[in-house]
Amino acid sequence: MLVYNSQTHRKQELEPIEPGKIRMYVCGPTVYDQIHIGNGRTFLSFDVIRRYLMFKGYEVTFAQNLTDVDDKIINRANEQGRTAAEVAEEFSSKFIEQMHRFDILDPDIRPRATREIEAMQEMISLLIEQGNAYAVPSGDVYFSVRSDHSYGVLSGRDLDQLRAGERVEVNDEKRDPFDFALWKAAKPGEPSWPSPWGEGRPGWHTECCAMIHRYLGTPIDIHGGGADLIFPHHENETAQAMCAWHAPLANVWMHTGMLQINEEKMSKSLGNFYTLKEVLDRYPANAVRILMLQTHYRAPLDFSFDRLDGAVSSMERLLSCVKNLRWAAHAAPQDGNLTDADRSLGEAVDAAHAEFVASMDDDFNTAGGLAAIFGLVTASNKYLAEAAGSIETAVTLRAADTLVELCGVLGIDLTQESADDDLPAELVDLAAERAGYAGSSAAEAAEALLEARAQARKAKDWGTADAIRDGIATLGLIVEDTAAGARLRRKKD
Ligand code: AMP
Ligand code: ZN
């Protein structure tokens, strides 16, 4: 399968370092606030990449850090009169909560910067010993970019170009303006740890690098994050790894495109800023996923609530197609003779599977994967409309199972019962009265009522048919006549 490597700017065959295994790391959030939907897009993209690698049979080890000590956290804590640790703890759990709501799989390893100080200090000491870093009188330690001949290899910049083009912080203690802090001397009131260079805290770039080395070993197969992290964060991470352990940090670097709102940058000042929480409060996770996966992970994603409403309709089409297929398969006569329609549905299932895999094998083309899924929805709906009355159970169930399976690879969970499926227990009494039903299952009661209604209509006994429909309506349900037969769903207010 082909994967685009941001370092080489081309797609290359994925060649795991250890056969059958993938070790991957995705930079986690700085926990000082609720994450926004742009962050959500990046984490979702890597969730799908991970799920697809697992689907392909790889044993994937996935690590993601929590940056729980940082200027932003310290500033927030000062504003609120709390400790940085309290702020970090609050937003770490809020982050994890939103990841769960978004059906993002937990990482196998979730290191927190504040608990990895030792690993970071070991790396810094090694860099100093090897001449790649230096401590200054204030207690900071800097990485010396000039000591690293390959500096710029990831982002494709060289230092002269950088010096000419970018504004950097002026600091007399640095030997080069692009030298970056590995260790920051403590300021009063800030969280700090003892070190050979005095009290202080680690720099952001140091954190990921030391944790990757400690938990996964370097190089890893895949290192990911948003495209805004390529420079300087990932450039600095890989420079440290190269100098400390004389091996690259990662074989493949993957970066996601930025999320934009109506083609503008999302920002608080433009008033177009949304947290993942507020979007998931209003929309099902499946719909947000469908919207995001309609765009390739490397392209900019244009987010809008109109598009999200469209994704809700797509999700409903998917859900009702699966339900109708199951319903039809259940009610079907099984004569074992395949019709042309049965055969072509079978072919549509195979084609959808093949198209899904071909798309995803091409650098995780989720838009192509979704197109394959929706192609099968169209073929299934056509089959249900045309083959009504002569449904082939096995092929119909295979279509439903394939939709559920392929969606599952994208993290779109069709197995969760939708709210429409919570049938009220009162159906049992109604069915006992109107359809002679003697059991206790609401689902069976619904079937018995629909069957009694169908019989009454067949016999042109409209009074009975309407009475059954009205009884159902008093329970807040409506009878929906679909190509695959009637079913009950909850009335929408
Ligand atoms: P941060 O907490 O700022 O380090 O962001 C966490 C992750 O979200 C990083 O991988 C960023 O690259 C990514 N990210 C930040 N803004 C956006 C955006 N607008 N669209 C997509 N990803 C983003
Ligand atoms: Zn990182």
Side-chain angles (χ1 to χ4, degrees):
M1 58 183 296
L2 294 175
V3 180
Y4 184 89
N5 185 351
S6 325
Q7 181 165 349
T8 55
H9 303 282
R10 59 178 187 85
K11 289 182 195 170
Q12 60 189 59
E13 195 58 39
L14 179 66
E15 282 165 7
I17 295 166
E18 259 183 89
K21 295 187 180 169
I22 295 285
R23 286 173 294 135
M24 66 189 284
Y25 181 94
V26 173
C27 296
T30 305
V31 281
Y32 70 104
D33 206 342
Q34 285 281 359
I35 63 160
H36 60 64
I37 52 177
N39 308 135
R41 191 245 178 146
T42 288
F43 299 136
L44 172 72
S45 302
F46 287 103
D47 181 59
V48 171
I49 288 167
R50 175 188 185 188
R51 285 173 187 263
Y52 187 67
L53 291 169
M54 287 158 63
F55 167 78
K56 293 286 281 191
Y58 289 106
E59 190 188 306
V60 181
T61 309
F62 186 101
Q64 179 170 67
N65 65 310
L66 290 171
T67 297
D68 61 353
V69 56
D70 176 84
D71 290 337
K72 288 182 194 146
I73 301 173
I74 295 168
N75 293 342
R76 180 59 50 96
N78 289 342
E79 278 160 32
Q80 299 182 341
R82 304 158 75 196
T83 66
E86 281 165 358
V87 170
E89 188 52 48
E90 175 185 350
F91 290 106
S92 296
S93 33
K94 288 190 167 155
F95 167 69
I96 293 168
E97 191 185 325
Q98 296 312 313
M99 290 294 95
H100 289 165
R101 284 177 86 192
F102 207 9
D103 290 330
I104 288 183
L105 300 174
D106 277 331
D108 300 303
I109 307 158
R110 191 180 336 250
R112 296 174 190 233
T114 54
R115 299 181 196 168
E116 306 295 335
I117 303 294
E118 206 184 314
M120 291 185 240
Q121 293 187 350
E122 273 169 26
M123 187 184 84
I124 297 169
S125 298
L126 193 58
L127 287 169
I128 295 176
E129 268 167 49
Q130 297 181 164
N132 302 106
Y134 54 96
V136 297
S138 66
D140 291 347
V141 180
Y142 292 102
F143 181 86
S144 163
V145 292
R146 267 185 291 172
S147 75
D148 175 16
H149 301 297
S150 60
Y151 191 82
V153 65
L154 176 64
S155 58
R157 300 167 207 221
D158 67 50
L159 279 167
D160 296 330
Q161 229 182 325
L162 281 168
R163 281 193 194 98
E166 305 211 10
R167 270 184 44 197
V168 281
E169 196 190 321
V170 185
N171 176 335
D172 294 341
E173 291 190 310
K174 287 192 198 177
R175 295 182 189 163
D176 185 289
F178 283 94
D179 287 356
F180 57 89
L182 300 173
W183 187 257
K184 298 178 174 184
K187 298 199 189 91
E190 286 186 359
S192 67
W193 290 263
S195 84
W197 320 287
E199 282 282 318
R201 64 185 162 96
W204 175 37
H205 314 304
T206 306
E207 178 190 323
C208 292
C209 189
M211 297 197 261
I212 290 172
H213 187 257
R214 169 158 186 208
Y215 288 102
L216 299 174
T218 56
I220 55 172
D221 295 287
I222 296 175
H223 189 320
D228 59 331
L229 297 189
I230 297 176
F231 190 86
H233 184 54
H234 288 167
E235 189 69 67
N236 291 351
E237 281 185 8
T238 198
Q240 294 166 81
M242 205 58 178
C243 292
W245 307 298
H246 314 293
L249 188 56
N251 271 3
V252 179
W253 290 83
M254 297 181 74
H255 293 100
T256 52
M258 294 292 105
L259 176 143
Q260 305 173 328
I261 311 265
N262 300 320
E263 295 175 16
E264 274 183 330
K265 185 177 179 345
M266 177 171 64
S267 82
K268 282 195 174 134
S269 58
L270 290 172
N272 64 357
F273 181 92
Y274 301 99
T275 64
L276 183 61
K277 177 179 187 301
E278 64 193 326
V279 171
L280 291 179
D281 282 347
R282 288 169 57 192
Y283 287 87
N286 278 343
V288 183
R289 257 184 199 259
I290 289 174
L291 164 70
M292 291 187 173
L293 298 178
Q294 279 163 350
T295 302
H296 188 268
Y297 75 88
R298 277 191 286 126
L301 171 78
D302 198 33
F303 182 94
S304 74
F305 284 97
D306 282 347
R307 288 194 67 199
L308 191 46
D309 288 331
V312 171
S313 312
S314 302
M315 182 194 77
E316 281 168 0
R317 258 185 87 210
L318 254 175
L319 276 172
S320 69
C321 180
V322 171
K323 275 195 232 165
N324 290 343
L325 285 167
R326 293 250 158 88
W327 189 279
H330 185 64
Q334 299 177 47
D335 60 8
N337 294 322
L338 292 190
T339 63
D340 285 350
D342 300 335
R343 253 178 246 115
S344 74
L345 181 60
E347 283 159 16
V349 171
D350 295 335
H353 210 283
E355 188 189 331
F356 179 87
V357 170
S359 299
M360 293 294 286
D361 274 356
D362 182 11
D363 191 29
F364 308 95
N365 178 359
T366 52
L370 280 173
I373 289 171
F374 281 100
L376 180 55
V377 169
T378 304
S380 299
N381 288 342
K382 180 164 170 271
Y383 174 78
L384 291 174
E386 287 173 0
S390 144
I391 298 288
E392 214 280 319
T393 306
V395 73
T396 306
L397 284 179
R398 202 154 74 78
D401 292 344
T402 301
L403 288 171
V404 172
E405 184 201 4
L406 299 183
C407 283
V409 177
L410 300 178
I412 299 165
D413 185 1
L414 301 183
T415 60
Q416 282 169 354
E417 296 284 294
S418 72
D420 286 345
D421 293 322
D422 307 329
L423 295 171
E426 291 91 331
L427 276 172
V428 172
D429 292 338
L430 186 66
E433 181 191 335
R434 295 281 176 188
Y437 174 67
S440 60
S441 144
E444 281 173 19
E447 276 188 46
L449 283 163
L450 288 170
E451 180 57 27
R453 174 173 167 268
Q455 293 297 337
R457 291 173 75 164
K458 212 162 156 191
K460 300 199 187 323
D461 175 0
W462 307 117
T464 302
D466 289 351
I468 292 173
R469 187 200 57 208
D470 294 345
I472 288 169
T474 60
L475 301 179
L477 301 168
I478 51 172
V479 179
E480 187 182 49
D481 289 299
T482 72
R487 62 188 172 89
L488 297 186
R489 62 184 286 163
R490 222 165 253 287
K491 235 184 282 182
K492 293 238 162 75
D493 336 285

